[in-house]
Amino acid sequence: MHIDDQKKNELKGLFAEKISFEDSLSGFTSMGVGGPAEALLIPSETDEIIKAVHWCSSNKIEWCIIGGGTNIVIKDEGINGLVIAITKKLGGFTHENIEGASRIRIMAGTPLSKVCSWAAERGLKGLEFAAGIPGTFGGAVKMNAGTSAGWISDVLDSITVITADGEKKCLSGSEIESSYRKLRLKNVTGPGDICGSIIVEASIILKNGSADEIKAKIKKSMEERKAKQPLGYKNAGCIFRNPENNLPAGKLIELAGLKGAESGGAKVSELHANFIINTGEASAADIIALIDMVKTTVNEKFSVTLEPEVIVAG
Ligand SMILES: Cc1cc2nc3c(=O)[nH]c(=O)nc-3n(C[C@H](O)[C@H](O)[C@H](O)COP(=O)(O)OP(=O)(O)OC[C@H]3O[C@@H](n4cnc5c(N)ncnc54)[C@H](O)[C@@H]3O)c2cc1C
């Protein structure tokens, strides 16, 4: 179902300047590609998300979420329906001291980097692994972002979501099951993907530690990222999940001779083969074609099916 003029007027009445139509989403992604959103809402209050979900449900309009856009490739055709962008306008955090630790409640639009540096300054440990991961806190929870040194689920205490029915729910850590780049609800039938819901807040627990040690760890991992990742170019982080019981995806891509492979303005990074960079004028179609080509070639050479970690939306 499309958003006709009458529905546009309804949305303007509900959200005033926070709603726009046919605006390009390329500036909302780290890859710098993507067509327009039929409608784009940038909420600054949780209640606006609830209102939007109810409106979509009664008008049979699809909605989707974008956070920092650092793990998404949006197609050139754009996205139909309502895109809800969770930005710094829905950001901020509070904390309370508990025995030997702190509980930090973080709104979904808060940049993950901001939480990491704040925790380091206060000598709170447990989030060092996340230094250098861009995007929002909500996006990091949804993706169970992490590295070999840890995942968000390691420090997660609770998540507050708006469900697809527009209901606000707080889920405790014990109700959530974590795996590689995924969180799901325990004891539910079906996929149990928490992200049929919108994460609006999450709390984490970080233990008291030494600020100097935490900062030294962060410095080391940031230096490693700078040396190993093509951070001078637009990119979306690792394109493929690392396959189980095999070499890392980047190593397989490298062994398949694909470093430097190009499709239009998209290129497999020479520095880290699991990164695709936008060399300047890439379209989403260029990136998607390169992803497909890499997947096919690695499968032909090694009989391994690489699964994208990056989300293709639209
Ligand atoms: C240079 C670079 C390095 C990276 N390094 C790492 C790394 O080391 N480890 C790692 O795990 N990732 C890494 N990433 C990928 C990415 O940064 C993470 O996955 C990040 O957590 C995504 O957050 P985001 O806000 O940008 O989410 P987006 O890219 O905007 O969204 C990702 C998915 O989450 C959903 N989503 C976003 N916010 C919400 C919300 N509030 N509620 C429900 N769903 C939501 C979106 O619908 C989408 O499906 C890297 C990316 C880049 C560009």
Side-chain angles (χ1 to χ4, degrees):
M1 184 81 78
H2 281 283
I3 303 178
D4 58 22
D5 286 346
Q6 190 200 325
K7 291 194 170 75
K8 282 185 184 167
N9 283 334
E10 280 176 31
L11 285 169
K12 278 189 216 155
L14 285 170
F15 301 113
E17 78 290 348
K18 294 178 188 173
I19 191 98
S20 62
F21 302 97
E22 301 302 335
D23 270 358
S24 169
L25 291 170
S26 63
F28 285 79
T29 69
S30 58
M31 261 296 188
V33 298
E38 194 175 9
L40 173 66
L41 174 66
I42 306 184
S44 54
E45 289 167 35
T46 301
D47 282 354
E48 290 166 341
I49 299 179
I50 297 176
K51 227 194 288 183
V53 169
H54 281 141
W55 184 87
C56 285
S57 142
S58 42
N59 287 281
K60 298 194 168 40
I61 299 291
E62 287 189 16
W63 55 264
C64 71
I65 300 293
I66 180 167
T70 63
N71 205 49
I72 293 187
V73 174
I74 294 174
K75 289 186 180 170
D76 301 314
E77 297 76 19
I79 300 183
N80 284 332
L82 179 67
V83 176
I84 305 173
I86 310 287
T87 68
K88 277 190 267 192
K89 296 200 171 161
L90 265 178
F93 55 93
T94 57
H95 75 105
E96 58 177 312
N97 294 328
I98 49 178
E99 215 183 313
S102 270
R103 176 181 289 114
I104 307 148
R105 286 180 207 285
I106 306 154
M107 289 181 69
T110 314
L112 176 60
S113 59
K114 199 169 172 182
V115 187
C116 286
S117 47
W118 177 86
E121 281 305 323
R122 292 190 73 94
L124 293 171
K125 66 179 176 188
L127 204 56
E128 301 87 294
F129 71 86
I133 303 181
T136 60
F137 199 79
V141 172
K142 147 79 184 169
M143 297 305 301
N144 195 14
T147 64
S148 55
W151 296 342
I152 286 289
S153 53
D154 298 341
V155 292
L156 203 58
D157 174 50
S158 72
I159 307 180
T160 306
V161 297
I162 308 298
T163 66
D165 301 328
E167 197 189 331
K168 192 171 175 179
K169 262 193 184 161
C170 187
L171 310 163
S172 75
S174 60
E175 291 173 272
I176 296 157
E177 211 168 69
S178 62
S179 56
Y180 176 57
R181 301 291 179 271
K182 215 176 200 169
L183 295 181
R184 68 182 298 282
L185 286 177
K186 280 184 192 161
N187 308 324
V188 293
T189 49
D193 182 356
I194 54 161
C195 289
S197 306
I198 302 162
I199 298 159
V200 289
E201 193 184 289
S203 68
I204 56 172
I205 292 184
L206 299 180
K207 294 200 175 118
N208 294 343
S210 143
D212 286 347
E213 279 173 23
I214 295 166
K215 285 184 196 169
K217 262 193 187 173
I218 289 180
K219 187 164 175 267
K220 187 163 171 270
S221 86
M222 294 298 271
E223 281 167 3
E224 281 171 11
R225 277 182 188 269
K226 269 191 205 143
K228 290 183 186 159
Q229 298 181 353
L231 302 181
Y233 291 92
K234 291 179 177 168
N235 70 80
C238 286
I239 295 291
F240 295 101
R241 296 160 65 90
N242 286 323
E244 273 177 43
N245 307 319
N246 214 310
L247 292 170
K251 196 69 203 167
L252 290 168
I253 299 166
E254 185 180 339
L255 291 172
L258 292 172
K259 269 189 166 178
E262 290 178 80
S263 156
K267 185 175 179 183
V268 175
S269 165
E270 307 268 7
L271 199 57
H272 189 319
N274 200 10
F275 277 60
I276 287 180
I277 56 172
N278 178 350
T279 58
E281 298 297 327
S283 62
D286 293 341
I287 294 161
I288 293 165
L290 195 53
I291 292 175
D292 289 345
M293 188 278 270
V294 168
K295 202 175 159 174
T296 307
T297 311
V298 167
N299 190 266
E300 281 168 3
K301 296 221 168 178
F302 306 117
S303 302
V304 176
T305 305
L306 291 179
E307 297 296 339
E309 177 170 320
V310 80
I311 286 148
V312 176

